[in-house]
Amino acid sequence: MLRLPEFNYVKPKSLQEAARLMADLGNDAMIVAGGTDLYPKMKRGQFTPKHLISLKTLSEMKGIRVDDKDGMWIGAGETLTAVAQHPQVNELFPALAQAAGSVSSPQLRNVGTIGGNIFVDTRCNYYDQTFFWRHAAGFCMKKDGQICLVAPKSKVCLAAFSSDTAPVFCSLDATAHLIGRDGGRAVPFTQLYGRDGINYLAKRNDELLRAITIPRSVFGRRSVYLKLCRRGSFDFPVLGVAATLKLNADGMCDTATVVLTAVSSVPVYVDVDSILRGQKITAELIESVAETAAAVSHPVDNTDMDYWYRKRMTKVYVKRALAQLSGVTLKGPQTRK
Ligand SMILES: Cc1cc2nc3c(=O)[nH]c(=O)nc-3n(C[C@H](O)[C@H](O)[C@H](O)COP(=O)(O)OP(=O)(O)OC[C@H]3O[C@@H](n4cnc5c(N)ncnc54)[C@H](O)[C@@H]3O)c2cc1C
């Protein structure tokens, strides 16, 4: 049985205190919310913090509400179950409810938070292993080693960004509200993620996520999240497609977004607007978006399922998502669920 190593567990009374502690303790400290990703990784020696700063009891990070100023405000400390079951989330952004409800299992969703999900560590078959396995195989550059074991010539880590909910927030022009020792800042999701499997977050280690907001301007868009994984539950995505669509009064496309997860070290934005905006959606245009998505989908051989299959399925899932949102009927096997 794998055991947790010793660590110091700190329960700050406010977000400001948590931010100050993180700044003071530096890289020896990590934030823990639900711990569903962090604790197993500590058992496997992937993370070795001396101090864990717990956000679990902070009421400043709780709540889901809709108002004129923020649009939808979601506290980072809300559980995935709370997000998936919230009536206004289901009504306004079904894709978010679908994504949150597709994470792992009910037990994990009851504990895991939405904040932890959008910052969840990147994944790789050569990294998500016990210390003994990684020691025997030779460590990789993400932890304790020098090279990428998936592609030894790669200069950067290729671990896959695998959050289910992050691509949905990206597709809805959401903003992350971060708190640091010196105050807060709002970061659009377009700028929240980094550049490789190690530096996959464009935020400082001491910055905490307080909340996510979805602007009023995207209310009224249709949205869907489709996830490819081996089993019906308990599995990370090996491909996820978040799509939104707004039609104008004439039935033409006003706005469309498609964002992919699990096919790169960061969420991947597909240039769909330039194909669909102002157009009447047809099966041919959907095919064209799907081709574009497959071209920017770059899975590598480091998760479940063959990478060439995941690339091919990008096309299929994007077609299904846009057909579902637009009501256009597709011909051929890709229409099967
Ligand atoms: C068996 C299993 C299956 C899983 N399946 C899926 C899946 O299908 N899809 C999926 O997306 N995930 C999956 N996960 C990963 C994880 O459980 C979820 O992503 C969950 O939402 C993480 O939330 P948490 O609150 O438990 O985060 P934690 O484990 O507490 O933290 C995760 C990371 O986020 C940081 N963090 C957490 N909250 C904040 C905050 N407010 N501010 C700054 N940093 C923060 C932590 O420091 C840590 O680096 C799975 C995990 C397991 C063990």
Side-chain angles (χ1 to χ4, degrees), residues 31 33-38 80 104 108 113 117 164 209 227 235-236:
I31 290 156
T36 59
D37 199 62
L38 190 55
L80 293 161
S104 189
L108 192 143
T113 63
N117 191 247
D164 275 307
L209 178 72
K227 170 171 176 172
D235 270 345
F236 276 91

Side-chain angles (χ1 to χ4, degrees), residues 181-199:
R181 192 212 306 249
D182 303 324
R185 64 181 180 122
V187 182
F189 266 68
T190 43
Q191 293 164 27
L192 189 60
Y193 295 104
R195 55 184 192 281
D196 63 55
I198 296 172
N199 303 297

Side-chain angles (χ1 to χ4, degrees), residues 30-38 40 55 61 76 80 102-104 108 111-113 115-117 119-120 162-164 203 207-209 227 234-237:
M30 281 187 82
I31 290 156
V32 63
T36 59
D37 199 62
L38 190 55
L55 304 180
M61 298 172 57
L80 293 161
S102 77
V103 174
S104 189
L108 192 143
V111 179
T113 63
N117 191 247
F119 285 162
V120 71
S162 307
S163 161
D164 275 307
K203 75 164 191 74
E207 285 182 309
L208 322 180
L209 178 72
K227 170 171 176 172
F234 227 101
D235 270 345
F236 276 91

